Amino acid sequence: LGWNVHFYNDPSFPEQLNSIAKRELPPILFSVGKQINPDDKLIGIVGSRHATEKGTQFTYNIAQSLVQSGIIIVSGMAEGIDSAAHKGTLDSSGHTVAIWGSSLDKVYPPSNKELAKKIEETGTIFSEYLPDTTPDRSHFPQRNRLIAGLADGIIVVEAGQKSGALITANLALEYQKELFAVPGLPTSKMSLGTNQLIKNG
């Protein structure tokens, strides 16, 4: 298949994931594209699949700004905030990392096939799933632990009260990573989760 294979005790296994408890580490990772180096600086950007236009634009802009400082952008390639983070990075000729909740031969969502192709060409895609594994609801919280583990910090742009992005935020705190939340209007459903993170300190 042309995939890179990383066992958890191999030198090629991303050192950044050592922040995750060993019992929660995937025993194997598959990847395509560039390798991640131990001294790379990575920031995860996550948020709602049903992002607002302002949230999407903010994400695109902040990804571009971070790239100018040599930061690698990590996200989950979902629709909305994730896709905007990847696109902002790619349009600035930066390095972006996508972590999937399916195997590398199952692009999800299918609408992001072109985005996946561009990330593979200039960035990195990781998955812990064996070939021919379709996306499943239970896979996405698992994927989120890898986003939180790989990144030095997590930015949550927009998130409802039950958003999966809040799972990533809580994992980032558990792994002792920096956590940033973008404030929004109190009346916006897409800002309930991020505003709560700020209220919690």
Side-chain angles (χ1 to χ4, degrees):
L1 292 169
W3 300 355
N4 302 307
V5 183
H6 317 272
F7 291 95
Y8 78 95
N9 55 352
D10 283 348
S12 68
F13 195 87
E15 193 174 292
Q16 290 86 347
L17 290 177
N18 288 337
S19 56
I20 301 176
K22 270 195 174 179
R23 67 182 182 278
E24 296 174 5
L25 272 177
I28 189 171
L29 273 178
F30 302 101
S31 75
V32 291
K34 293 181 182 179
Q35 299 298 300
I36 301 296
N37 299 313
D39 58 348
D40 285 336
K41 299 300 179 187
L42 301 99
I43 291 291
I45 303 179
V46 296
S48 175
R49 286 176 169 81
H50 308 289
T52 66
E53 185 177 341
K54 286 184 178 180
T56 301
Q57 189 62 52
F58 178 87
T59 303
Y60 182 92
N61 291 343
I62 200 169
Q64 289 196 318
S65 297
L66 289 167
V67 164
Q68 302 308 314
S69 298
I71 302 293
I72 296 173
I73 303 300
V74 185
S75 200
M77 215 185 79
E79 293 175 335
I81 297 300
D82 289 22
S83 293
H86 292 305
K87 288 173 183 174
T89 306
L90 292 169
D91 288 350
S92 293
S93 302
H95 183 177
T96 190
V97 176
I99 304 181
W100 287 7
S102 59
S103 56
L104 297 178
D105 54 347
K106 300 289 182 184
V107 179
Y108 184 82
S111 57
N112 271 346
K113 279 188 178 179
E114 190 61 34
L115 178 60
K117 184 179 177 183
K118 289 179 181 177
I119 295 173
E120 182 177 350
E121 288 171 357
T122 63
T124 313
I125 304 174
F126 281 114
S127 172
E128 62 184 298
Y129 297 106
L130 295 169
D132 205 35
T133 302
T134 54
D136 184 84
R137 183 182 292 271
S138 65
H139 294 174
F140 295 102
Q142 289 184 308
R143 175 207 59 188
N144 292 350
R145 88 191 190 287
L146 296 181
I147 294 174
L150 195 63
D152 297 293
I154 294 290
I155 301 172
V156 186
V157 179
E158 287 184 330
Q161 279 185 312
K162 297 183 179 179
S163 172
L166 298 181
I167 296 174
T168 311
N170 289 328
L171 288 167
L173 293 175
E174 183 181 327
Y175 302 155
Q176 298 184 319
K177 305 297 181 80
E178 295 281 356
L179 179 62
F180 308 90
V182 179
L185 289 172
T187 53
S188 170
K189 288 183 179 180
M190 288 300 99
S191 296
L192 291 175
T194 48
N195 288 345
Q196 188 63 48
L197 287 175
I198 293 168
K199 184 178 179 181
N200 292 347

